[in-house]
Amino acid sequence: MSKIDTNELKAALEQFSGTEKYYFNPLFPEHRYTDGIKFLATEAGAYWFIDFIFSYCEVPALDGEEFQVWKLVVNADESASIKVEDGNSNLLKEFRIPFTDFPLPQIELWLVDQVLILPSEY
């Protein structure tokens, strides 16, 4: 669960630009993520979202897409949708999540050449 409130989390995420270190999950050694993504995962309890992205980023509909925009939108009933776009607002894939405790109403992450980043880190 989040250690800081949603307004503080949003403000903190906006401060990230670039990264000093890259991280990886041993289950997905070909993928990396940045300081901002690590902060989000830790503070929002969202390591599951990183794992979800890395698990599905190479399904047939997404295979070969070097730039992917992952958008998580939390619904009022605590279900969520995850949409994947190509960076030009073209929907490539959509997923439904029956429950999430993700603290923000929505977030957008970018997967660029197998590195997951916050948009501000581009």
Side-chain angles (χ1 to χ4, degrees):
M1 188 47 75
S2 179
K3 297 177 183 175
I4 58 178
D5 73 30
T6 57
N7 290 330
E8 290 174 345
L9 180 59
K10 284 179 73 174
L13 291 172
E14 291 171 359
Q15 302 304 310
F16 286 93
S17 63
T19 193
E20 292 184 11
K21 183 175 180 183
Y22 292 95
Y23 305 87
F24 76 99
N25 178 330
L27 296 174
F28 309 101
E30 68 279 4
H31 294 96
R32 300 285 184 261
Y33 56 96
T34 60
D35 292 327
I37 297 296
K38 182 174 183 352
F39 178 85
L40 172 68
T42 301
E43 296 300 320
Y47 280 98
W48 67 268
F49 192 31
I50 296 172
D51 293 345
F52 187 94
I53 292 170
F54 290 163
S55 293
Y56 290 100
C57 68
E58 295 178 5
V59 298
L62 305 175
D63 193 32
E65 291 289 337
E66 294 179 6
F67 187 91
Q68 299 173 13
V69 177
W70 289 75
K71 296 179 179 182
L72 171 69
V73 177
V74 178
N75 302 313
D77 66 357
E78 296 182 323
S79 67
S81 66
I82 297 174
K83 294 181 181 180
V84 187
E85 298 177 353
D86 65 358
N88 293 316
S89 299
N90 296 312
L91 182 64
L92 301 173
K93 185 81 175 155
E94 186 169 2
F95 303 91
R96 300 281 179 208
I97 307 295
F99 172 79
T100 183
D101 60 357
F102 190 75
L104 298 175
Q106 63 185 29
I107 193 153
E108 181 176 304
L109 306 180
W110 294 356
L111 185 65
V112 182
D113 295 323
Q114 298 184 324
V115 178
L116 189 62
I117 67 174
L118 297 171
S120 63
E121 293 177 304
Y122 189 72

